[in-house]
Amino acid sequence: MTKKLSHKRVTPLTRFYYGAPYYPEHWDAATREQDVQRMVDAGFNVVRMAEFAWDYLEPEEGTFRFDIFDETIARLGASGIATILCTPTPTPPRWLTFAHPDVLRVNADGVVMQHGSRQHVCHTSETFRAYSRAITREMADHYAENPHVVGWQTDNELNCHFSECHCDHCQAAFREFLRAKYEGDIDALNVAWGNAFWALTYRNFDEILTPKSAKPAYANPAHLLDYDRFISWNVTRFQHEQVEILRAANPRWFITHNGIFRHIDYRGSFTEDLDFLGYDIYPFFDPDPQHRPASQSFNLDHARAWSGNFMVPEQQSGPGGQGNYFHDTPEPDEMRRMAYTSIARGADSLMFFRWRTCRFGAEEYWCGIFDHDNVPRRRYKEVQQLGEELKTIGPEVLGTHVRVDVGIAAADMDVYDAHETLSMGLPSPYAVAATVHEFFLNQGYAVGCVHPSDDLSDLKVYIIPHWALINPDWMPHLEAYVENGGLLIIGARTGTKDWNNNVVADPLPGMLQKLAGVRILEYGRQNAPDKRPLGIQYHRASAVLPTEHWYEQLQIMPKTMTIARWEGRHLSRQTAITIRQQGEGTVIYVGTYLSGSILAPLLPLLEELTGLAPLWPDAPAGVHVVVRENEEKRLWFAFNDTDSFSVLQPPVEGTDLITGKPSPKKLYLMRHRVAVIKETLVEAEEQGSEGAEEQGSEGAEEQGSEGAEEQRSKGAEERGSEGAEEQGSERAEERGNESVEEVRQAEVEEKESEGPEA
């Protein structure tokens, strides 16, 4: 790791790697015979191998064999295809678990996991860690001088299926973790956990056990959160031991890991140990084909929020099936379109899972590029097409980052895990972030996910969607963002708990009171919104927008204005949404859960205050646009995610990287089709007096501001709101042409007619 983790961080890769995970140990020589030539014909320059091959590599303790991998690496290398190797520790051989049953995990019910699947061993076990170091060292030393091995993946999808363990090793390690965290002060732990409740007080650290929720009743949220932090610390330690061995063997190797899963802090030491993060993306886990492009886009943006651009070690290529499910089969061009979506949203390398569908085992219906019969069909032809295109596009994306104008707070393990400990049946911060992301995506904005500690300076709008935990260390960062001109939107319940996962003593929203300029007088769960309906109204003449999940009655502080009020039951005409100017920027507080219908009427105000505009204003609904850029160029990706034929006019002149020709005046995109246009930026010293026209026009003409009045009056039809009549008309008619001054005037009139605020 050489740079601070950031959503804008690029990988150090100098080559776009394109290939597939490959399992030569699964196939005989005859089946493998044509593989290398077919990979060459597909444009591959890399494969990934050995993550599940420990039993082959070490068939007996201390006896190692590398023959099939040596041969495969040599054959591939001779044809220009490099290899990424994996430490094979997710699947230890049976001789290990048979000789050392104490390495097996124990679940919360006390059941010992057994050999016959994967991830069944405990990362705390000193015995297992010793074997992990041994196989890693043996592989690293064997391949240290092999010119065809370019990098490593640690383990495989750590914490994918199972993250907890309650064995004796973990009990002891958890106590040591707590002893170190609280510096040996058991009284400090008792206070931090609130152990006065239910007589939970501990006399010393040796009395503490790993928490088991619902055994017999609800566990302490603070205890649970510290246990989740222990899981992350423990798996980070486990990986670090492998990384140290690999770095010592060959410092030139890059090292990655393929996440992203629960109870791992990917913004901490786990990722700082790596050169970049890997992310396995399987869009077809979303069963709705119409929603799938939005969920894939969010998941990729969320992955990038942890540490920046990434590698995709596993990109879905065919249907996947295990247990009681079997995914859709990708339609023609869909596999290619999904791959381009990954590249547009931060992938600096990509591998399709897998090369050939296995004929046996738990993933025998997890289909790859080739079906079970090894016959090349349309998925292989699609892979060939993409491989040819990536010869041009691959090098172009390296060194660029994804443009984000609207940032959504995401990618914090503590926030996510704290919600799980006591969710009250409310949507998770992750789920609400996905909802908000989809709304802005469908409006055509450059939306992404950004952690609060990251660089916020380029964001026009930043949204924190209901983060109960707020780290005090983030506050100066958020305050500076607003003071310097940013627009911050804070969702209900944010800042209501401290970093120990206890409710704060201050009036809510806790440490955000001053920045938001509000206090919460009353809050409540909307358990039956159909029977006790509540809604929000921006103006008396506007529609009442139904809310769900949560309400907050707000008290405004000086210099804070009400911009929307509650309608319904005892809350009628009470403050629901506020706005406050702070320095050069603005803070909006929303006293309910965020949704598209609640956010849509705010869009004209966001544009007025920040200059926010869609990336490609003329793009039809369902055509999603992403920009990757650096100081020298912009790469415009357009995706037809609809079932209809789409025609659109590019907002810039440049080069069509798929055809290699100048970009046409009109693009014609069939279903699942993609366009990639390169816009070369004029060097600063050559701009001179043209800067205002050539560079400024990027915001006005090329990026689609089109003039504030014309843009805001477009309404929902052209910006993809949730319904032209329900939301678009609110934007265009009720709020669409209002200036900030008019908002203030409307507030004054409402105050005069209704008397003083609560």
Side-chain angles (χ1 to χ4, degrees):
M1 244 299 300
T2 57
K3 293 178 65 177
K4 178 184 176 182
L5 304 185
S6 167
H7 76 105
K8 295 172 64 176
R9 173 177 171 258
V10 301
T11 68
L13 294 173
T14 58
R15 186 182 190 187
F16 190 100
Y17 287 105
Y18 178 58
Y22 186 47
Y23 303 91
E25 70 274 22
H26 292 173
W27 310 101
D28 57 30
T31 306
R32 302 196 311 267
E33 180 62 32
Q34 294 178 290
D35 286 349
V36 174
Q37 187 56 52
R38 285 175 170 177
M39 289 180 184
V40 170
D41 293 343
F44 281 12
N45 58 20
V46 75
V47 298
R48 188 196 72 180
M49 293 194 290
E51 74 270 29
F52 300 129
W54 194 345
D55 66 332
Y56 186 95
L57 292 162
E58 191 178 6
E60 300 288 343
E61 182 174 358
T63 301
F64 299 94
R65 61 175 181 177
F66 300 97
D67 53 345
I68 196 169
F69 293 103
D70 289 348
E71 174 195 349
T72 302
I73 291 169
R75 289 183 63 216
L76 291 166
S79 295
I81 299 174
T83 293
I84 299 170
L85 286 172
C86 305
T87 56
T89 43
T91 52
R94 180 57 176 144
W95 59 258
L96 194 163
T97 56
F98 189 80
H100 305 282
D102 63 307
V103 306
L104 295 169
R105 294 194 196 206
V106 177
N107 70 11
D109 294 319
V111 177
V112 179
M113 301 297 99
Q114 65 181 28
H115 190 85
S117 184
R118 66 173 182 169
Q119 297 183 338
H120 47 290
V121 290
C122 175
H123 298 126
T124 308
S125 166
E126 291 287 350
T127 300
F128 179 67
R129 286 166 54 201
Y131 279 108
S132 165
R133 292 190 295 269
I135 186 64
T136 300
R137 185 173 294 108
E138 198 72 27
M139 293 180 71
D141 290 346
H142 184 81
Y143 290 108
E145 303 302 324
N146 191 308
H148 305 307
V149 176
V150 295
W152 286 76
Q153 173 188 294
T154 58
D155 203 87
N156 184 80
E157 296 182 335
L158 288 162
N159 287 8
C160 172
H161 296 287
F162 192 66
S163 57
E164 294 186 22
C165 182
H166 300 272
C167 72
D168 291 343
H169 304 303
C170 284
Q171 301 292 350
F174 181 49
R175 290 190 281 269
E176 291 307 308
F177 170 81
L178 295 173
R179 187 176 279 111
K181 177 177 179 178
Y182 293 98
E183 299 178 338
D185 187 345
I186 193 65
D187 292 332
L189 179 145
N190 282 319
V191 171
W193 286 10
N195 284 336
F197 183 79
W198 278 356
L200 299 179
T201 303
Y202 297 102
R203 297 170 299 170
N204 56 67
F205 287 92
D206 292 334
E207 295 180 343
I208 300 173
L209 299 172
T210 57
K212 301 171 183 177
S213 196
K215 301 185 188 317
Y218 295 106
N220 183 349
H223 188 173
L224 288 168
L225 183 57
D226 265 352
Y227 176 61
D228 293 339
R229 289 164 171 160
F230 161 73
I231 292 173
S232 178
W233 169 84
N234 195 37
V235 76
T236 298
R237 176 180 65 166
F238 173 77
Q239 176 184 254
H240 180 72
E241 292 175 345
Q242 296 186 355
V243 170
E244 282 191 316
I245 294 167
L246 296 172
R247 297 254 187 244
N250 187 336
R252 296 185 300 277
W253 283 331
F254 65 75
I255 304 176
T256 187
H257 177 76
N258 58 335
I260 295 167
F261 298 96
R262 298 171 66 227
H263 307 323
I264 297 180
D265 183 6
Y266 295 103
R267 285 194 63 81
S269 299
F270 184 94
T271 306
E272 290 170 348
D273 259 353
L274 306 172
D275 292 286
F276 48 85
L277 196 58
Y279 178 51
D280 295 346
I281 179 74
Y282 290 92
F284 278 49
F285 273 113
D286 186 337
D288 183 348
Q290 294 181 339
H291 184 258
R292 199 173 290 148
S295 59
Q296 183 190 358
S297 296
F298 172 74
N299 288 333
L300 291 162
D301 285 352
H302 181 263
R304 198 179 65 254
W306 293 102
S307 64
N309 290 0
F310 47 85
M311 170 182 282
V312 174
E314 299 180 18
Q315 170 85 37
Q316 186 161 10
S317 63
Q322 285 177 283
N324 62 353
Y325 69 87
F326 189 70
H327 294 163
D328 292 346
T329 297
E331 295 182 334
D333 290 322
E334 192 170 15
M335 186 174 74
R336 172 175 168 269
R337 191 265 301 160
M338 292 189 298
Y340 268 121
T341 299
S342 296
I343 294 167
R345 294 193 174 272
D348 280 355
S349 289
L350 181 142
M351 288 174 274
F352 282 111
F353 186 84
R354 49 188 283 167
W355 175 246
R356 181 169 39 247
T357 309
C358 199
R359 298 170 188 157
F360 41 78
E363 293 185 355
E364 64 188 26
Y365 280 105
W366 203 274
C367 300
I369 299 167
F370 287 86
D371 292 321
H372 300 95
D373 58 8
N374 203 29
V375 175
R377 296 187 174 93
R378 66 173 172 86
R379 292 205 298 275
Y380 176 66
K381 293 179 181 178
E382 219 162 295
V383 168
Q384 285 182 303
Q385 179 185 354
L386 181 60
E388 185 62 31
E389 293 164 353
L390 286 178
K391 292 177 182 177
T392 299
I393 295 172
E396 291 284 1
V397 302
L398 296 180
T400 66
H401 64 268
V402 180
R403 172 175 168 172
V404 179
D405 292 337
V406 179
I408 303 168
D412 191 275
M413 185 202 75
D414 295 282
V415 170
Y416 293 168
D417 287 350
H419 175 83
E420 287 186 14
T421 66
L422 190 60
S423 72
M424 298 187 293
L426 292 166
S428 69
Y430 178 90
V432 179
T435 298
V436 174
H437 183 280
E438 182 179 2
F439 171 74
F440 282 98
L441 173 73
N442 289 336
Q443 308 303 305
Y445 298 110
V447 62
C449 298
V450 183
H451 190 270
S453 66
D454 204 339
D455 178 10
L456 308 179
S457 61
D458 290 340
L459 303 178
K460 297 182 184 298
V461 178
Y462 188 55
I463 303 169
I464 305 178
H466 323 298
W467 281 26
L469 265 65
I470 291 290
N471 191 325
D473 294 343
W474 302 339
M475 288 304 299
H477 206 50
L478 294 170
E479 291 165 354
Y481 168 71
V482 174
E483 288 284 346
N484 293 328
L487 192 151
L488 175 65
I489 298 177
I490 302 172
R493 296 194 69 240
T494 300
T496 57
K497 304 189 82 175
D498 65 24
W499 208 241
N500 293 317
N501 206 16
N502 301 313
V503 179
V504 300
D506 296 331
L508 303 181
M511 68 182 76
L512 292 168
Q513 282 183 80
K514 183 177 178 182
L515 182 61
V518 299
R519 290 190 183 95
I520 297 169
L521 297 177
E522 178 179 318
Y523 61 80
R525 181 82 160 87
Q526 289 187 253
N527 291 301
D530 56 332
K531 296 180 175 63
R532 291 188 172 182
L534 295 173
I536 285 178
Q537 188 177 42
Y538 280 90
H539 293 293
R540 281 193 178 278
S542 66
V544 176
L545 306 173
T547 61
E548 56 182 353
H549 304 307
W550 195 260
Y551 74 83
E552 291 178 349
Q553 178 187 347
L554 308 181
Q555 179 184 45
I556 61 173
M557 296 180 179
K559 299 182 181 180
T560 303
M561 297 188 303
T562 298
I563 58 173
R565 298 179 183 275
W566 286 106
E567 281 297 331
R569 309 186 75 82
H570 69 292
L571 294 179
S572 288
R573 308 314 298 158
Q574 298 299 311
T575 297
I577 302 177
T578 63
I579 188 169
R580 175 185 182 88
Q581 289 192 321
Q582 183 82 15
E584 299 296 319
T586 307
V587 181
I588 295 175
Y589 188 92
V590 180
T592 189
Y593 266 55
L594 298 172
S595 65
S597 61
I598 297 299
L599 290 167
L602 289 173
L603 287 180
L605 189 60
L606 304 187
E607 294 169 351
E608 173 84 17
L609 293 172
T610 70
L612 179 67
L615 282 169
W616 195 321
D618 294 327
V623 174
H624 295 134
V625 179
V626 188
V627 170
R628 287 185 63 153
E629 62 186 0
N630 58 23
E631 295 178 353
E632 300 173 357
K633 60 191 172 187
R634 288 195 183 97
L635 304 177
W636 295 76
F637 293 80
F639 301 89
N640 184 2
D641 291 326
T642 74
D643 284 336
S644 304
F645 180 81
S646 291
V647 182
L648 56 160
Q649 181 176 347
V652 297
E653 292 183 358
T655 303
D656 185 329
L657 292 182
I658 291 180
T659 66
K661 299 177 181 178
S663 58
K665 292 184 178 180
K666 288 188 177 181
L667 289 171
Y668 301 89
L669 297 181
M670 302 291 289
R671 179 177 58 207
H672 300 314
R673 293 298 176 86
V674 181
V676 186
I677 296 175
K678 176 184 178 181
E679 175 193 9
T680 301
L681 303 180
V682 180
E683 296 294 336
E685 60 268 20
E686 297 177 4
Q687 288 180 2
S689 62
E690 297 175 359
E693 290 185 8
E694 293 184 351
Q695 218 166 6
S697 64
E698 293 164 6
E701 294 179 7
E702 295 175 10
Q703 289 174 24
S705 64
E706 295 186 345
E709 283 190 22
E710 180 182 352
Q711 178 114 352
R712 288 194 296 275
S713 67
K714 283 176 180 273
E717 285 187 63
E718 295 184 24
R719 294 230 283 278
S721 184
E722 294 183 0
E725 292 184 6
E726 295 180 5
Q727 289 186 16
S729 61
E730 292 164 16
R731 293 174 57 192
E733 296 173 17
E734 298 165 15
R735 311 257 324 160
N737 296 314
E738 291 183 337
S739 65
V740 179
E741 288 73 19
E742 289 172 321
V743 172
R744 293 197 184 100
Q745 183 59 37
E747 173 62 17
V748 170
E749 292 173 359
E750 285 202 89
K751 284 183 178 179
E752 291 175 348
S753 65
E754 297 174 9
E757 293 290 336

